[in-house]
Amino acid sequence: MDYQLLAELLYPHIKTLPEDMEKRYPPRQLPEGAKVTRFAPSPTGFLHIGNLYGAFADERLAHTTDGVFYLRIEDTDAKRTVENGVELIIETLAKLGVHFDEGAVKDGDKGDYGPYRQSERAEIYQTYAKQLVREGKAYPCFCTEEELDANRAKQEELKLTPGYYGEFAPWRDAPLEKILEKLAEGAPFVLRFHSDGNVENKFKFTDEIKGVINVTENDIDHVILKSDGIPTYHFAHAVDDHLMRTTHVIRDESWLSTLPFHIQLFKALGFKLPKYCHTAQVLKLDEGNKRKISKRKDPEFALTFYHAEGYPVAAVREYLLTIQNSNFEEWRIANPTADMESFKFSLKKMGVSGSIFDLDKLNDISKNVISRMNADEVYENTLAWANENDADYAAILAADPAYAKSIFAIGRGGNKPRKDLTLWKDTKDYVSFFYDSLFAPEYTLPAAVSADDAKAICQQFAAGYNEADEQTVWFDKMKQIAANLGYAPETKLFKKNPESYKGHVGDISMVLRVAVTGRQNSPDLYEVMKILGKDRVVARLNAMIER
């Protein structure tokens, strides 16, 4: 077989050689130990938690080693591509704090190793494909769909592994004359890899997460270039990861079945194999049983869920570190206020079995993250969320930033900050009683207080309320009201002789809380009243009296 002639006949328009590409994309000049990772989605417009799990591991590995994290768009399958798919990917990840050093951007590319869209790299792929033909490692296949279907049917009937191999690979060793006849007819062809593997052979392979695993050789002659000259994922990723100088490929363990072929490809192309890191799948507990997290069953599967719900970016990132690195929680306990970016991410600390995604745990982390923020940060994050998700609420917040910040400042700072907020969307209900347009009171009184006593409490407090009072004076007035109406002015007195009192001073304060905030649970009532101002406090007390 004259492979040189065959290569020219198949791809006469390709004049570049692999060495030209090696010069165009030289090794990166990076510090010792720096890692180069990539996130390489298809532009379908949809990203899920598994994508974020992998992307965040890629980003952490690169950025904790002074390396490079880049975005490559694998858009060779036109059927899956949606309009603005790239923009949606970039925007969705940016909202969750994932940013790239280089790669595809909304209006083109950023970096020296592009194009970063596979659809723009046809010449590069065909250069290496042509070289494989020259070396007898790839060949044209002219099988029709009907012939391939017939092959599959026969394999099913014989209970054989499906695929193009052995007797089911009619063009594998076809003579040049037969190929020339088909080319002369203008028959379409795909380019297949000429596998030298044997499924009877196994070898050891070291995965950076799973450790040493047994791998069975690949014997299937997979397609590497389709009939339109566009590469399959397998071939494109090998060429791109080499030329973009990727050091570590982090991907879901569902890709393990392709590993034998990918190892073959890198060897045949003469490329150094990157470190493969197969992550455990993201699972969920469902009535005590583990299952894969599902697009159909679980709203948290889609990345848009986290931004729409209003999870702080830091909370999502911190939760991912919790399920990705087994030592992160211990580190966080020892460093409660440290920036999580200072945590040393490690592939060795990633679990080899499925990672359980626990929304309750994420919510707990989110509460802690928000509790550590100052009022300005809470306001800015809430406003940003509201601007995209609740325009009316955004207008209320933006009308008086200082007033809104004073609300968010209640209970912040100190060793035990309040943890009322889990999501940015929660803040609307949290602040609602501070705004007359949102105020919707529920007048649920303490069991110990009658309706008549509730009115008397409000009347007496309104008559003596002075917003300039210190908190001790303010509370002493409640104690006096308690004594006036037959309630214990001290809780300890009530506990000592409960039969001697209607209730205690806590019931008095609860009536006032319900009257002023419309609820039994609210931040510090003294601070609430100061922010509302005397006129509104008295107006709400009167509203309770007039019920």
Side-chain angles (χ1 to χ4, degrees):
M1 173 73 77
D2 188 340
Y3 294 119
Q4 184 71 35
L5 173 62
L6 179 59
E8 291 303 324
L9 290 171
L10 296 179
Y11 303 105
H13 60 290
I14 295 298
K15 306 301 181 185
T16 50
L17 297 170
E19 48 263 42
D20 299 319
M21 298 303 167
E22 298 296 326
K23 290 177 184 177
R24 189 184 300 179
Y25 303 104
R28 295 174 182 269
Q29 300 302 308
L30 295 171
E32 183 73 23
K35 310 295 191 295
V36 179
T37 63
R38 45 74 164 177
F39 181 55
S42 298
T44 61
F46 179 81
L47 291 176
H48 55 77
I49 190 64
N51 296 136
L52 183 62
Y53 184 92
F56 189 53
D58 281 310
E59 186 265 339
R60 286 291 79 207
L61 185 61
H63 290 164
T64 56
T65 59
D66 296 322
V68 174
F69 176 46
Y70 69 89
L71 174 64
R72 185 172 75 221
I73 301 299
E74 300 191 340
D75 57 352
T76 57
D77 187 347
K79 294 178 182 177
R80 299 184 65 203
T81 300
V82 301
E83 188 176 358
N84 298 323
V86 176
E87 290 82 353
L88 287 169
I89 288 169
I90 294 169
E91 289 172 3
T92 301
L93 290 175
K95 287 175 180 177
L96 291 168
V98 178
H99 301 280
F100 301 93
D101 303 306
E102 66 181 49
V105 295
K106 291 181 181 180
D107 55 355
D109 286 336
K110 172 189 174 185
D112 298 328
Y113 288 79
Y116 294 93
R117 291 166 173 79
Q118 289 184 336
S119 59
E120 299 173 10
R121 296 171 63 84
E123 180 195 30
I124 299 170
Y125 304 129
Q126 291 174 20
T127 295
Y128 284 96
K130 186 173 183 177
Q131 184 62 26
L132 288 180
V133 176
R134 288 191 191 99
E135 296 172 0
K137 297 175 181 177
Y139 63 90
C141 169
F142 297 89
C143 282
T144 63
E145 284 298 321
E146 292 75 19
E147 289 170 329
L148 294 173
D149 289 342
N151 261 358
R152 278 192 289 271
K154 187 174 181 180
Q155 288 168 337
E156 288 176 8
E157 180 185 340
L158 298 173
K159 294 183 170 52
L160 297 174
T161 302
Y164 197 94
Y165 61 92
E167 65 178 286
F168 304 103
W171 288 94
R172 177 181 169 92
D173 296 308
L176 182 60
E177 294 75 16
K178 187 176 179 181
I179 294 172
L180 291 176
E181 286 176 11
K182 283 291 185 180
L183 290 176
E185 294 171 8
F189 66 89
V190 297
L191 193 70
R192 290 185 179 273
F193 180 73
H194 195 293
S195 174
D196 59 1
N198 186 330
V199 290
E200 300 299 320
N201 298 333
K202 295 183 183 297
F203 59 95
K204 301 286 187 183
F205 181 81
T206 301
D207 182 272
E208 295 301 298
I209 292 174
K210 295 187 175 298
V212 178
I213 57 177
N214 288 314
V215 178
T216 301
E217 287 185 357
N218 168 67
D219 69 339
I220 294 175
D221 290 359
H222 290 288
V223 174
I224 57 175
L225 286 187
K226 292 176 275 190
S227 58
D228 57 2
I230 297 298
T232 58
Y233 162 78
H234 307 287
F235 187 61
H237 112 273
V239 172
D240 291 344
D241 281 340
H242 169 68
L243 291 180
M244 295 178 183
R245 309 301 171 176
T246 309
T247 64
H248 289 67
V249 174
I250 300 176
R251 61 187 188 180
D252 185 271
E253 64 186 1
S254 60
W255 287 100
L256 273 170
S257 61
T258 67
L259 183 62
F261 178 42
H262 293 168
I263 293 172
Q264 265 188 329
L265 274 176
F266 274 88
K267 182 180 177 181
L269 289 162
F271 299 159
K272 179 182 177 181
L273 194 69
K275 302 287 186 182
Y276 279 97
C277 322
H278 289 90
T279 62
Q281 293 186 324
V282 180
L283 306 176
K284 187 170 181 177
L285 281 178
D286 190 348
E287 297 182 355
N289 299 313
K290 294 179 182 179
R291 63 167 173 80
K292 285 180 66 175
I293 195 165
S294 162
K295 180 179 182 179
R296 182 173 58 85
K297 296 180 179 179
D298 308 307
E300 64 268 31
F301 182 79
L303 292 194
T304 50
F305 167 83
Y306 301 93
H307 187 68
E309 288 292 288
Y311 280 96
V313 169
V316 178
R317 289 168 68 82
E318 188 150 323
Y319 179 66
L320 285 175
L321 279 175
T322 299
I323 62 175
Q324 285 181 336
N325 266 198
S326 58
N327 60 328
F328 178 77
E329 284 189 270
E330 182 181 337
W331 177 87
R332 174 51 81 199
I333 291 170
N335 303 275
T337 61
D339 187 337
M340 66 179 168
E341 307 296 319
S342 63
F343 172 74
K344 189 68 174 177
F345 178 84
S346 171
L347 291 172
K348 302 300 181 186
K349 294 294 184 179
M350 294 189 78
V352 297
S353 58
S355 299
I356 302 296
F357 190 90
D358 184 349
L359 207 54
D360 290 336
K361 183 68 174 290
L362 171 58
N363 290 340
D364 286 342
I365 289 174
S366 191
K367 286 179 182 178
N368 289 330
V369 166
I370 294 177
S371 75
R372 294 195 294 265
M373 294 181 178
N374 60 41
D376 285 353
E377 290 173 314
V378 175
Y379 172 77
E380 294 299 338
N381 278 285
T382 299
L383 182 60
W385 176 86
N387 276 328
E388 290 194 32
N389 297 279
D390 190 335
D392 291 340
Y393 179 37
I396 290 171
L397 293 173
D400 191 342
Y403 180 71
K405 290 177 185 179
S406 70
I407 299 169
F408 291 128
I410 300 175
R412 297 213 162 264
N415 295 326
K416 292 186 177 180
R418 291 181 65 92
K419 297 181 180 180
D420 302 273
L421 302 175
T422 302
L423 310 168
W424 301 129
K425 78 172 186 179
D426 291 346
T427 62
K428 187 174 184 178
D429 178 67
Y430 178 76
V431 306
S432 61
F433 60 84
F434 286 99
Y435 296 94
D436 293 339
S437 62
L438 299 177
F439 186 47
E442 293 182 12
Y443 294 118
T444 305
L445 297 173
V449 181
S450 68
D452 288 341
D453 277 358
K455 291 181 180 181
I457 291 166
C458 291
Q459 286 170 336
Q460 291 186 30
F461 189 84
Y465 180 58
N466 184 344
E467 61 184 335
D469 286 342
E470 294 292 332
Q471 191 160 11
T472 53
V473 175
W474 173 82
F475 194 61
D476 283 342
K477 290 181 177 180
M478 288 193 202
K479 291 181 180 181
Q480 186 59 55
I481 294 170
N484 294 344
L485 298 174
Y487 293 80
E490 302 281 351
T491 305
K492 62 183 178 182
L493 293 176
F494 178 77
K495 288 182 178 179
K496 201 170 185 180
N497 296 295
E499 68 282 351
S500 300
Y501 304 98
K502 295 178 181 179
H504 53 80
V505 68
D507 296 316
I508 306 303
S509 65
M510 181 58 75
V511 169
L512 295 173
R513 186 182 302 277
V514 170
V516 173
T517 69
R519 61 186 68 178
Q520 290 193 350
N521 185 26
S522 73
D524 184 85
L525 187 58
Y526 176 77
E527 293 293 336
V528 168
M529 288 185 178
K530 286 181 74 69
I531 292 172
L532 285 171
K534 182 175 180 178
D535 290 346
R536 275 203 285 178
V537 168
V538 172
R540 291 186 181 183
L541 292 172
N542 287 335
M544 172 77 98
I545 295 167
E546 294 166 3
R547 286 183 69 241

